[in-house]
Amino acid sequence: MVLALVLSLLTVILTGASALLFPSISLRGRKVPVYPFIPLLGAILILSFGLVPWERIEETFLSDTAVNPLRVLVLFFSMVFLSTLLDEEGFFSHLAGVALRHGGKSQGTLFAMLFLFVSLLTVFTSNDIIVLTFTPFLISFCRRTRVDPVPYLIGSFVAANTFSAFLPVGNPTNIFLTESLGISWADYLLRMSLPSLLSGLLAFLILRILFRRELRKPLIPMREEPSPLHDRPSVIVSLIALGLAILGAALGSFLPIPSYLICLALALFLFLFRLVRGILRKDVLPPLRAVRRLPYSLLPLLLGMFVVVLALDEQGITSLIAGILNQEGYSIWSHGLGSMLLANLMNNIPMSVLFEEVFLSAPYEGLAPYAVILSSNLAAYLTPFAALAGLMFLQKVREEGIPLTFLRFTREGLMVAVPALLIGLLALQAEAFLFV
């Protein structure tokens, strides 16, 4: 047990240190991320010491169940591709331009419109895509209108990582936990809609108070037209494919075909459709760029962390964690607060992998998984390390010379994330009293 715990802690600590201090190295003129491969190295060491039997690895990765991590990855990458291709077609930039153009001369009105707009988009797509798409766009907009970009950048980041909890497709952590624990979309929506809405509303109100001075300053209206859509028919087909993928994932338990295969088939169809159309129109780059932009760094990180967590489970450590957290009457709070703390120590994806094993290792009170799901989303704006999108977001902001440091991000995030989580957990606790 001691060796498994030591190797797991070292893996987590080194991954975090790498993400903060040396996230990438230059190799032949290209930046290659370092931190995703540290969990893979930790997994190799764990397997070398025989802390996890190979039979357990084969059983986990080849099983015909929702717990199979490969199925979760296929589902996630398929959904991300559908959203990324929409971005390549200029869909998100076009909508953002429309929203910003109608913001008027009031920064307060514009901030509210932007928060609502990002929130609605995140519900049906992926928070990572929204964050990475909107960050450069907002920086450019704020420079042209001569306003402080920090309120808008933090506002969009908070909106994307709050309302991503509304549906399972909003965050890879949602997808993983709902699929592995067999949570239906109907149950998910029933339990998570109120906590997500309350957390989002409180987060918005706190942000308006925090940035009240900046948002009182005048705004130079944006006069140019929103960027045009690159290929309107492709955008329509992409939206239909995304809608069908969400519907297929929602109704997966009622269909003869697993939801991950439905989403994969739609992603492949859309790729081929756009590639053929691109050949005819001499514009094949959007689907190819969408494939290139997929978050491949998640693969070694996730696969490595799966093995690390299996080692903890094999040595009985996850059962000990479950015993500590499963406090009768307080399970929602212990799991919600504990998972937020762990997400900021080890990133929200490994944290979700760990809690999946915690939930499978011992009985738990009914709504505890929803507390972890909510926390895995809101933890992203407590510190940048809690989510990969946070690290990429802060790196992009630094490259653009925006005065948003790690310390300031965490200071602002602490004042928003903790109250937002508490009111969300309170809503879950109320649901537990009323409906369970």
Side-chain angles (χ1 to χ4, degrees):
M1 178 185 290
V2 174
L3 182 58
L5 187 59
V6 168
L7 287 176
S8 300
L9 288 175
L10 279 175
T11 300
V12 169
I13 292 170
L14 290 176
T15 302
S18 171
L20 294 176
L21 302 176
F22 50 98
S24 61
I25 58 173
S26 295
L27 189 63
R28 294 182 179 179
R30 293 183 59 184
K31 285 188 175 182
V32 178
V34 174
Y35 60 89
F37 293 95
I38 295 177
L40 194 60
L41 179 60
I44 293 172
L45 289 174
I46 285 171
L47 291 172
S48 300
F49 283 106
L51 298 174
V52 180
W54 275 105
E55 293 78 11
R56 179 76 187 277
I57 301 292
E58 293 177 2
E59 179 186 352
T60 301
F61 285 88
L62 300 178
S63 62
D64 188 22
T65 65
V67 185
N68 188 328
L70 297 180
R71 293 189 176 189
V72 178
L73 287 173
V74 169
L75 177 63
F76 169 66
F77 273 85
S78 299
M79 296 297 296
V80 170
F81 172 76
L82 295 173
S83 299
T84 306
L85 186 56
L86 272 172
D87 180 43
E88 287 293 334
E89 300 291 359
F91 177 70
F92 296 129
S93 296
H94 176 76
L95 291 185
V98 173
L100 294 174
R101 183 174 174 79
H102 290 83
K105 298 181 179 180
S106 167
Q107 284 203 60
T109 302
L110 180 61
F111 182 84
M113 287 185 62
L114 179 68
F115 192 93
L116 177 62
F117 179 68
V118 171
S119 301
L120 290 174
L121 280 180
T122 303
V123 168
F124 299 104
T125 55
S126 165
N127 60 346
D128 294 347
I129 296 298
I130 297 300
V131 167
L132 298 179
T133 297
F134 272 72
T135 298
F137 184 86
L138 285 174
I139 292 173
S140 174
F141 167 79
C142 290
R143 282 175 174 165
R144 281 182 288 162
T145 53
R146 300 176 188 176
V147 297
D148 185 355
V150 172
Y152 298 96
L153 290 169
I154 292 181
S156 64
F157 192 85
V158 168
N161 286 283
T162 304
F163 287 92
S164 56
F166 196 90
L167 286 180
V169 295
N171 196 323
T173 59
N174 305 356
I175 294 174
F176 176 73
L177 286 170
T178 53
E179 289 289 312
S180 60
L181 298 178
I183 298 173
S184 71
W185 274 52
D187 286 340
Y188 185 99
L189 186 58
L190 178 66
R191 301 302 183 191
M192 291 299 293
S193 56
L194 181 61
S196 302
L197 289 171
L198 290 178
S199 296
L201 179 60
L202 182 60
F204 171 76
L205 293 175
I206 294 173
L207 287 172
R208 283 299 307 266
I209 295 172
L210 287 177
F211 297 122
R212 60 189 182 280
R213 292 182 179 177
E214 292 88 340
L215 297 178
R216 286 174 184 165
K217 296 177 181 178
L219 170 71
I220 300 174
M222 182 175 170
R223 300 186 181 279
E224 59 262 39
E225 292 294 327
S227 58
L229 298 174
H230 299 159
D231 182 9
R232 190 176 296 272
S234 293
V235 169
I236 294 172
V237 174
S238 298
L239 287 171
I240 293 173
L242 179 61
L244 290 175
I246 294 173
L247 189 62
L251 302 176
S253 58
F254 302 100
L255 299 174
I257 304 174
S259 57
Y260 79 97
L261 286 180
I262 294 174
C263 294
L264 176 62
L266 286 166
L268 290 174
F269 161 77
L270 188 60
F271 174 78
L272 293 174
F273 166 82
R274 187 58 182 86
L275 191 62
V276 172
R277 182 170 174 81
I279 292 173
L280 296 175
R281 300 177 72 247
K282 298 181 179 180
D283 181 25
V284 297
L285 290 180
L288 299 179
R289 283 197 299 255
V291 171
R292 186 179 179 182
R293 285 178 55 190
L294 292 178
Y296 297 108
S297 60
L298 280 181
L299 289 173
L301 188 148
L302 273 176
L303 294 176
M305 279 298 177
F306 276 120
V307 176
V308 170
V309 170
L310 286 177
L312 294 175
D313 185 58
E314 195 72 24
Q315 303 298 318
I317 296 173
T318 53
S319 297
L320 291 176
I321 296 174
I324 294 171
L325 295 178
N326 286 336
Q327 302 295 322
E328 187 175 354
Y330 301 98
S331 183
I332 288 173
W333 299 94
S334 60
H335 283 84
L337 295 172
S339 57
M340 173 167 271
L341 175 62
L342 284 175
N344 282 279
L345 292 175
M346 64 188 302
N347 195 268
N348 62 351
I349 293 177
M351 178 276 292
S352 300
V353 176
L354 174 64
F355 269 86
E356 179 257 346
E357 289 296 333
V358 167
F359 288 129
L360 294 178
S361 65
Y364 56 87
E365 290 187 354
L367 299 188
Y370 298 103
V372 175
I373 291 171
L374 181 67
S375 180
S376 73
N377 289 268
L378 304 189
Y381 51 87
L382 181 59
T383 71
F385 181 64
L388 292 177
L391 294 170
M392 292 184 284
F393 167 78
L394 200 60
Q395 180 181 354
K396 180 63 179 177
V397 166
R398 285 173 176 172
E399 291 174 354
E400 294 291 337
I402 306 299
L404 180 58
T405 62
F406 186 99
L407 183 61
R408 183 179 181 185
F409 183 103
T410 304
R411 185 187 67 213
E412 312 284 11
L414 183 65
M415 289 185 280
V416 182
V418 174
L421 177 64
L422 291 178
I423 197 171
L425 295 179
L426 185 62
L428 283 173
Q429 190 68 67
E431 291 177 359
F433 282 135
L434 293 174
F435 304 115
V436 177

